[in-house]
Each structure stands twice: as structure tokens, then as C-alpha cells.
């Protein structure tokens, strides 16, 4: 899986590519989270390595070596010259279709008439466009929920694809939050492109404590576990929560945490070793 940040696509500067050999999916996920906190804003996950990208001016070799030291990991470094990321991304961007339910496409694609719902986005970031297995699965699970007249919270909205789909499915109000400025900017643009009027996009690091009928949380295992109690408390009785952003072998860990908060598992889904879980609040 590879994804570039909006910053990489919108700027023409040298980038440093760091390649770190990894021994497990969990180690890869932990490193990705740690490197994200240090300013790395593009990643490529392979079967045996994590490739991370950071602007040349932000690269701090000592900081990187200190971060990797507890894992006893080495790394290789490569300077990536400026290129037109946006043109390259658009040339390889294909629409995403979830059965006959929904399609996510860019403005330069033809209308897809074979689906019930169509979302048009500006492809500035590949993560969150629907291509990743987690986003695809969340959209698939949304098909089985009645969104009519429901209040929705999209935690970690990315490009706001899920929030947009929630409105198209009949939600009366949608709060979409992310902690990244580029995601907020792109979300606002996509909301406008799709003529949505019931979505509020906000920058936030933590989940909202307001009450919602449906919560969508496509983030990662660590954040989901950290805020499971908060999210469960914010969910109305009989409400639904879809979580994703973790590997299949981590399912039980998330199920146990959710069950402890009176969330009953309804459906489990997996795709390309990534999982998504649908729960309903039972008390």
C-alpha cells in the first residue's frame, strides 16, 4: 500500500525516502505512527519494509536514529527529486466501485451510472479515496445501516468520503473531524464538490463528546483502543459504530474492547488482511 500526503503532491521540493526493514505487521504499524508524529507525511508499506517520506528540510538524521534504536532497526536513505506528483497520481487513479452501491471517482472520470450513489473527489491523497481496503470495507458496511434522519460522526475523516456518503444515505447532520490541516482543506473541497449541506468539518485531535446515532472511525488500532470508551459513551442506544484501520489478526483485541463498552458485534469484514467491524450499542 502506498499513499502520499497532500503536501507532497502540492509542493515541488526534494524529499528524503527512508526504507526501514520490518519483521511484522505490528512493528510496521507502530513505526508508521511514530514517524507520522515526527513529520513524515508519505508512506509505502511492503511485505518486508516500511518506506517513509519527509521533506529534505525537515529530515533529522539523529532524530530518526534515536527513534529506531529501541527496535534495533537499520535504514537506507534516498533523495527524491521534485516531480509532478499530482499529474502522476491522476494518471494512475481509477474509480473505486463498491458493488452496485457506491462509486468514488475523480472529476476527470465519466459518470458511473450503474451505482446508487456517486462521490466525486479531488485525488490529492490516495489514502481515503476508497482504494484502501479499510475505506472500501467501511463503505460496504454502511450499505446495511439506515442513515435516514440520523446524526453521524466521522472520526478521522481524511478526504470526507465517508461523511459525504453518510449524507447521501440520508443523514440529517454529519460532524467530520481530522487532526491534519491538509485533510481539513481537502475535505471542505470535496464536501463542496458534492453539494453537501449537512456536513460540518472541524480540526480536532480527539472524538466529539456529543451524542450520535452512527459513528464511523477508520483510523488505526492504537487510536481506536485509546478512545473506545469515549466513542461508546457518545453513541446513542441502539446506535451503530463502524471501526476500521487494523489488521485481521487484531480483530479480537478490538472486539474485546468494544464488548466491554456494551457494543455488540454485528458484522466482521476483512479484505487484503485489513478488517472492519460493525457494532451496535445494546445498553
Amino acid at each position: 500500500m502506498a499513499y502520499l500526503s497532500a503536501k507532497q503532491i502540492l509542493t515541488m521540493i526534494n524529499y528524503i525516502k527512508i526504507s526501514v526493514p520490518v519483521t511484522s505487521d505490528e512493528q510496521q504499524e507502530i513505526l508508521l505512527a511514530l514517524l507520522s508524529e515526527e513529520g513524515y507525511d508519505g508512506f509505502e508499506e511492503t511485505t518486508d519494509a516500511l518506506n517513509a517520506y519527509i521533506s529534505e528540510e525537515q529530515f533529522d538524521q539523529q532524530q530518526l536514529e534515536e527513534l529506531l534504536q529501541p527496535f534495533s532497526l537499520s535504514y537506507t536513505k534516498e533523495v527524491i527529486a521534485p516531480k509532478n506528483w499530482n499529474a502522476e497520481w491522476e494518471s494512475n487513479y481509477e474509480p473505486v466501485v463498491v458493488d452496485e452501491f457506491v462509486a468514488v471517482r475523480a472529476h476527470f472520470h465519466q459518470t458511473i451510472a450503474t451505482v446508487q450513489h456517486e462521490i466525486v473527489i479531488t485525488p490529492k491523497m490516495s489514502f481515503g479515496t476508497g482504494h484502501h481496503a479499510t475505506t472500501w470495507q467501511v463503505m460496504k458496511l454502511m450499505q446495511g445501516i439506515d442513515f435516514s434522519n440520523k446524526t453521524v460522526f466521522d472520526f478521522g475523516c481524511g478526504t470526507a468520503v465517508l461523511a459525504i456518503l453518510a449524507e447521501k444515505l440520508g443523514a440529517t447532520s454529519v460532524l467530520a473531524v481530522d487532526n491534519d490541516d491538509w485533510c481539513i482543506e481537502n475535505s471542505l473541497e470535496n464536501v463542496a464538490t458534492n453539494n453537501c449541506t449537512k456536513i460540518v468539518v472541524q480540526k480536532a485531535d480527539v472524538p466529539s463528546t456529543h451524542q450520535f446515532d452512527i459513528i464511523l472511525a477508520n483510523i488505526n488500532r492504537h487510536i481506536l483502543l485509546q478512545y473506545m470508551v469515549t466513542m461508546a459513551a457518545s453513541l446513542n442506544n441502539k446506535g451503530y459504530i463502524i471501526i476500521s484501520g487494523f489488521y485481521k489478526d487484531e480483530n479480537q483485541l478490538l472486539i474485546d474492547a468494544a464488548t466491554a463498552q456494551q457494543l455488540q458485534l454485528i458484522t466482521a469484514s476483512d479484505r487484503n488482511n485489513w478488517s472492519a467491524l460493525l457494532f451496535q450499542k445494546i445498553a
Side-chain angles (χ1 to χ4, degrees):
M1 178 187 69
Y3 50 98
L4 301 172
S5 73
K7 185 190 297 183
Q8 280 177 271
I9 294 171
L10 296 177
T11 57
M12 297 292 285
I13 59 177
N14 280 352
Y15 261 75
I16 298 294
K17 174 185 176 182
I18 298 301
S19 183
V20 183
V22 293
T23 58
S24 67
D25 290 340
E26 182 177 10
Q27 186 180 67
Q28 190 173 70
E29 184 180 352
I30 292 171
L31 285 176
L32 193 153
L34 293 173
L35 290 169
S36 296
E37 294 175 357
E38 300 300 339
Y40 289 79
D41 56 10
F43 298 92
E44 181 183 13
E45 300 175 49
T46 69
T47 56
D48 56 3
L50 174 65
N51 299 325
Y53 298 81
I54 190 170
S55 65
E56 192 172 37
E57 62 183 16
Q58 287 184 286
F59 177 65
D60 186 327
Q61 183 171 333
Q62 180 178 348
Q63 178 190 70
L64 175 64
E65 292 176 352
E66 291 177 353
L67 185 149
L68 296 177
Q69 194 275 330
F71 302 94
S72 299
L73 292 173
S74 60
Y75 70 92
T76 58
K77 182 180 75 171
E78 178 185 354
V79 177
I80 307 296
K83 64 192 299 184
N84 191 336
W85 291 107
N86 195 61
E88 179 167 307
W89 171 228
E90 288 191 4
S91 70
N92 293 293
Y93 182 87
E94 295 295 334
V96 176
V97 180
V98 180
D99 302 330
E100 297 179 349
F101 175 50
V102 60
V104 182
R105 67 172 179 87
H107 63 87
F108 48 81
H109 292 134
Q110 294 294 319
T111 296
I112 300 173
T114 57
V115 295
Q116 300 172 41
H117 307 283
E118 190 177 53
I119 299 172
V120 180
I121 69 165
T122 301
K124 291 181 178 178
M125 299 171 64
S126 61
F127 191 79
T129 59
H131 288 82
H132 193 269
T134 59
T135 313
W136 192 96
Q137 288 181 92
V138 174
M139 291 192 293
K140 173 77 171 178
L141 290 176
M142 290 172 69
Q143 186 176 9
I145 300 176
D146 181 8
F147 279 77
S148 300
N149 302 313
K150 299 298 194 301
T151 56
V152 179
F153 177 49
D154 183 1
F155 183 32
C157 61
T159 54
V161 165
L162 301 179
I164 293 168
L165 179 57
E167 177 168 334
K168 288 180 178 291
L169 291 173
T172 54
S173 68
V174 183
L175 174 60
V177 307
D178 204 293
N179 65 356
D180 184 276
D181 289 327
W182 296 99
C183 289
I184 297 299
E185 180 180 330
N186 197 204
S187 291
L188 289 169
E189 182 177 354
N190 292 330
V191 166
T193 298
N194 289 273
N195 301 311
C196 293
T197 60
K198 299 172 183 178
I199 299 173
V200 174
V201 179
Q202 294 179 351
K203 183 177 180 181
D205 294 307
V206 298
S208 173
T209 55
H210 292 99
Q211 295 300 121
F212 301 95
D213 298 311
I214 300 170
I215 296 177
L216 310 171
N218 182 21
I219 313 177
N220 63 58
R221 173 172 62 88
H222 303 289
I223 299 299
L224 291 171
L225 291 174
Q226 181 180 358
Y227 292 111
M228 186 68 73
V229 174
T230 303
M231 291 189 294
S234 298
L235 190 63
N236 288 329
N237 191 35
K238 302 299 181 182
Y240 293 96
I241 177 170
I242 301 175
I243 62 173
S244 193
F246 47 91
Y247 295 110
K248 182 180 179 180
D249 59 9
E250 298 170 328
N251 276 11
Q252 196 58 51
L253 186 65
L254 276 301
I255 291 172
D256 290 344
T259 302
Q261 302 306 317
Q262 287 72 54
L263 299 175
Q264 180 179 15
L265 179 66
I266 303 299
T267 305
S269 169
D270 65 89
R271 181 180 175 91
N272 300 333
N273 202 38
W274 291 88
S275 285
L277 303 172
L278 167 62
F279 296 90
Q280 185 175 29
K281 190 169 184 178
I282 57 177

